Amino acid sequence: MKITVLGCGAIGKLWIAGLIQQSHDVQGWLRIPQPFLDVNVDSVNHSPFQLRILSNQKEWLSESELLIVCLKSWQVSDAVNALIPFLRAQCPILLIHNGMGTIDELAVSESTKGRPFLQGITTHGAYQQGQNIIHSAEGITHIGPLNASARQYSDLAEVLHNALPDVAWHNDIHTISWLKLAVNCVINPLTVFYQCRNGELLQHSEHVQAVCDEVYQVMEREGVIPTSQSHLYKYILDTIELTSNNYSSMYQDVKYQRHTEIDYITGYLIRRASAQGLVLPENNYLFQFIKQKEGNYDHIST
Ligand code: KPL
């Protein structure tokens, strides 16, 4: 397949390396255009992948049969809108990011009407070390349709699974997105609040539970109830344990004075809560807390 990967950070490069090894034709797309991109990935079993590939080729973009978007949630709608005029109408667009709400922003634009959008939620761990991407933990990527025109693309799950296993297709990706949102609403701002790794949140279980209970109320009103309130809490505790050594992405964003994804995590939750007539004191406090942290940066990194 001919594929463009928009956003060539750690996760974007994992996809590029995996897809090229399956003989797909893949180019990268960078915010600051450049004709080539070096992809150096150390896999979990330490075998290295190194290749210089083309990037930012308009003709390639217009021939692409899949656009994979691996950007931070706040970058997605502007970046995708800029590429839409060059894409074929039937080119599926897979959005892989934390948080929710980007599809609502994209749906506002006339040019996105009827375009097939898919959501991807991944648990792969990867980070940049010098020029290399270290694939630190294998995981699973859940994908599914964000609109009716994307429902016919379930075959993509197999293509993607062969490149970077595991990949699972879900007709109802909305519920999975909400579960991941719940995890991110609890873990991400609280690790900034307590200045800690994910695992240390187990020492603040009352606070974890209070934030989690508010998320559950919103999920209930939204009609997304995959589980009971106590199961959601247990699911979040299990995720804290599984990722106990991690510094959450928001912790790292604040540490390096980068724009966080709070507007698409807690911000999205609060917007849905107010549409449902709910007030969320714990989450409101954490939202303001992170906004204040961002406001205190002496500069903003990208
Ligand atoms: O998604 C994550 C993040 O850090 O953004 C979790 C699951 C909390 C893992 O750190």
Side-chain angles (χ1 to χ4, degrees):
M1 277 178 88
K2 201 151 198 166
I3 300 171
T4 296
V5 175
L6 166 62
C8 302
I11 296 291
K13 283 185 177 169
L14 283 190
W15 281 111
I16 293 174
L19 288 162
I20 287 179
Q21 288 174 94
Q22 288 295 310
S23 307
H24 295 290
D25 296 327
V26 189
Q27 75 153 340
W29 197 277
L30 300 134
R31 203 165 28 104
I32 300 168
Q34 60 181 58
F36 299 103
L37 171 72
D38 289 317
V39 183
N40 304 327
V41 176
D42 285 345
S43 70
V44 173
N45 60 20
H46 304 297
S47 58
F49 172 91
Q50 293 188 325
L51 197 67
R52 171 166 282 194
I53 64 162
L54 289 173
S55 58
N56 295 74
Q57 309 288 314
K58 285 234 170 87
E59 202 179 315
W60 191 305
L61 184 63
S62 61
E63 290 166 1
S64 289
E65 296 155 283
L66 171 64
L67 176 71
I68 303 182
V69 183
C70 299
L71 292 168
K72 291 278 191 180
S73 45
W74 54 270
Q75 299 171 316
V76 169
S77 57
D78 283 350
V80 172
N81 274 322
L83 298 196
I84 290 264
F86 305 101
L87 288 174
R88 298 198 300 203
Q90 61 283 24
C91 174
I93 303 169
L94 171 62
L95 310 176
I96 303 180
H97 59 74
N98 268 344
M100 291 175 78
T102 54
I103 190 63
D104 306 326
E105 292 174 352
L106 283 160
V108 168
S109 152
E110 256 316 294
S111 58
T112 59
K113 284 242 158 71
R115 298 244 173 203
F117 280 100
L118 300 112
Q119 182 71 58
I121 297 139
T122 192
T123 64
H124 280 276
Y127 60 92
Q128 180 126 18
Q129 192 172 72
Q131 293 306 306
N132 285 8
I133 301 301
I134 313 293
H135 187 186
S136 51
E138 280 174 333
I140 178 163
T141 305
H142 301 279
I143 67 167
L146 279 166
N147 55 11
S149 50
R151 284 198 199 122
Q152 58 180 302
Y153 290 98
S154 58
D155 288 355
L156 277 179
E158 196 181 335
V159 172
L160 296 171
H161 177 80
N162 291 335
L164 187 62
D166 289 334
V167 174
W169 175 266
H170 303 263
N171 288 326
D172 176 16
I173 196 70
H174 191 64
T175 303
I176 312 259
S177 297
W178 265 100
L179 274 175
K180 182 69 187 336
L181 188 83
V183 163
N184 289 130
C185 281
V186 175
I187 299 181
N188 293 31
L190 284 179
T191 51
V192 181
F193 186 75
Y194 289 110
Q195 282 296 288
C196 67
R197 288 179 198 260
N198 295 358
E200 287 162 54
L201 291 180
L202 294 176
Q203 293 159 27
H204 306 283
S205 55
E206 276 181 22
H207 204 167
V208 167
Q209 176 135 33
V211 178
C212 174
D213 287 352
E214 288 186 357
V215 178
Y216 187 81
Q217 282 178 46
V218 185
M219 289 174 77
E220 216 176 10
R221 291 279 179 97
E222 289 279 298
V224 198
I225 353 176
T227 178
S228 68
Q229 188 159 340
S230 58
H231 276 102
L232 182 67
Y233 178 55
K234 171 146 187 341
Y235 176 71
I236 288 172
L237 291 183
D238 289 349
T239 311
I240 290 175
E241 271 180 32
L242 264 173
T243 62
S244 61
N245 241 346
N246 282 21
Y247 282 110
S248 79
S249 56
M250 195 171 285
Y251 174 97
Q252 295 183 53
D253 286 341
V254 171
K255 179 169 177 199
Y256 296 109
Q257 307 208 350
R258 295 188 299 237
H259 195 150
T260 73
E261 296 183 289
I262 194 74
D263 288 323
Y264 296 82
I265 296 177
T266 313
Y268 181 81
L269 178 84
I270 291 171
R271 289 195 294 283
R272 291 316 308 154
S274 78
Q276 301 288 358
L278 289 169
V279 181
L280 312 176
E282 298 289 348
N283 282 279
N284 270 315
Y285 178 82
L286 288 172
F287 179 76
Q288 293 306 336
F289 178 78
I290 300 295
K291 284 289 184 190
Q292 202 171 3
K293 286 266 170 201
E294 288 184 329
N296 289 342
Y297 292 167
D298 48 30
H299 66 282
I300 189 137
S301 316
T302 47

